[in-house]
Amino acid sequence: MLTKKQLDLLAFIHKRVQRDGVPPSFDEMKLALDLRSKSGIHRLITALEERGFIRRLAHRARAIEVVKLPESLGGAPSMGFTPRVIDGDRPDTPPPAAAMTPQTGGAIELPVMGKIAAGVPIEAISEASHSVSVPGGMIAGSGEHYALEVKGDSMIDAGINDGDVVVIRETSVADNGDIVVALVEDSEATLKRFKRSGTSIALEAANPAYETRVLPSDKVKVQGRLVGLIRTY
């Protein structure tokens, strides 16, 4: 699964290579994505390379090769889950039928869509690596659900430990006190407690070792709300 900014950058690079035969410069990418600095572009490029969508060629200026495209940009279907954009709303297409089919005993299979930081925000939410079986009663309300593996200890006082798997219901809204998947500046995802005050949003940790992050509301997008947790021993 790609973030919206990652998908936008991949589409821009592909379009320019198709048109001009060479990829755009970092300055052109920064302007196209309306980012303030090149560091954001470097982070997005690294994420796309790690996910296998592009390849940087050594010792050549502006040398970026598009290796593959997701289906939303005309790429070939994958054998597993297709990368989907999580941009704070319901996806354009429904998930594969197997992802939400009740199994024996009332269990439901959900895709594990990568890791989510419960600590310092990291690039998160990638392609589904496997699925996990969860009790049907854990699926709260309507809407799409998915699972994420927790990385970090900033939510331990809320009972969420490093290595736990959290069940998330996709939504773009949250109430104060909800534990949410928050996308910060379209590039970093984190699991934190949500608090809105006026035009600001506080992302609160549940560990005194971590400071609360207070950001302008337009810099934070709610991607989903925590509805369940799975722990293995």
Side-chain angles (χ1 to χ4, degrees):
M1 186 180 301
L2 300 180
T3 67
K4 187 176 187 303
K5 284 291 187 184
Q6 291 165 4
L7 189 70
D8 288 346
L9 181 59
L10 181 59
F12 180 65
I13 294 172
H14 178 62
K15 182 178 179 180
R16 288 294 298 273
V17 169
Q18 292 292 102
R19 189 189 75 183
D20 302 335
V22 294
S25 68
F26 274 48
D27 281 327
E28 290 171 326
M29 296 180 203
K30 179 171 69 74
L31 290 173
L33 271 69
D34 194 27
L35 295 180
R36 296 180 180 178
S37 68
K38 293 181 184 178
S39 62
I41 294 296
H42 280 283
R43 189 164 55 241
L44 294 171
I45 288 287
T46 298
L48 289 172
E49 187 174 35
E50 289 174 348
R51 288 158 173 78
F53 288 96
I54 64 172
R55 178 166 53 233
R56 283 183 280 195
L57 306 179
H59 311 301
R60 291 175 57 187
R62 292 175 59 173
I64 297 175
E65 178 184 5
V66 177
V67 177
K68 65 179 181 178
L69 295 171
E71 281 190 83
S72 60
L73 295 180
S78 65
M79 295 304 293
F81 286 94
T82 303
R84 293 188 296 126
V85 179
I86 292 185
D87 59 2
D89 206 340
R90 290 173 62 88
D92 293 331
T93 56
M100 293 297 292
T101 301
Q103 305 297 316
T104 303
I108 291 176
E109 293 292 318
L110 292 180
V112 179
M113 305 303 296
K115 295 183 179 181
I116 183 70
V120 179
I122 57 173
E123 279 287 344
I125 308 180
S126 57
E127 299 181 42
S129 57
H130 59 285
S131 62
V132 63
S133 181
V134 304
M138 190 179 288
I139 304 303
S142 59
E144 309 299 339
H145 291 71
Y146 59 93
L148 292 167
E149 182 182 344
V150 175
K151 181 178 176 64
D153 62 356
S154 74
M155 298 302 290
I156 56 173
D157 287 350
I160 302 171
N161 298 333
D162 183 53
D164 286 348
V165 173
V166 290
V167 178
I168 304 297
R169 178 172 66 85
E170 288 188 20
T171 179
S172 60
V173 297
D175 296 325
N176 283 347
D178 285 347
I179 296 176
V180 303
V181 173
L183 189 65
V184 179
E185 295 185 335
D186 284 333
S187 61
E188 298 174 325
T190 188
L191 186 72
K192 292 291 185 291
R193 195 175 299 280
F194 176 93
K195 293 284 183 66
R196 182 188 293 275
S197 178
T199 59
S200 298
I201 291 176
L203 299 177
E204 296 183 350
N207 181 337
Y210 293 84
E211 294 184 356
T212 296
R213 297 184 69 188
V214 180
L215 300 152
S217 59
D218 63 349
K219 299 298 183 183
V220 179
K221 294 180 181 178
V222 174
Q223 303 291 282
R225 185 173 62 84
L226 177 72
V227 297
L229 182 144
I230 301 169
R231 177 169 300 154
T232 56
Y233 296 92

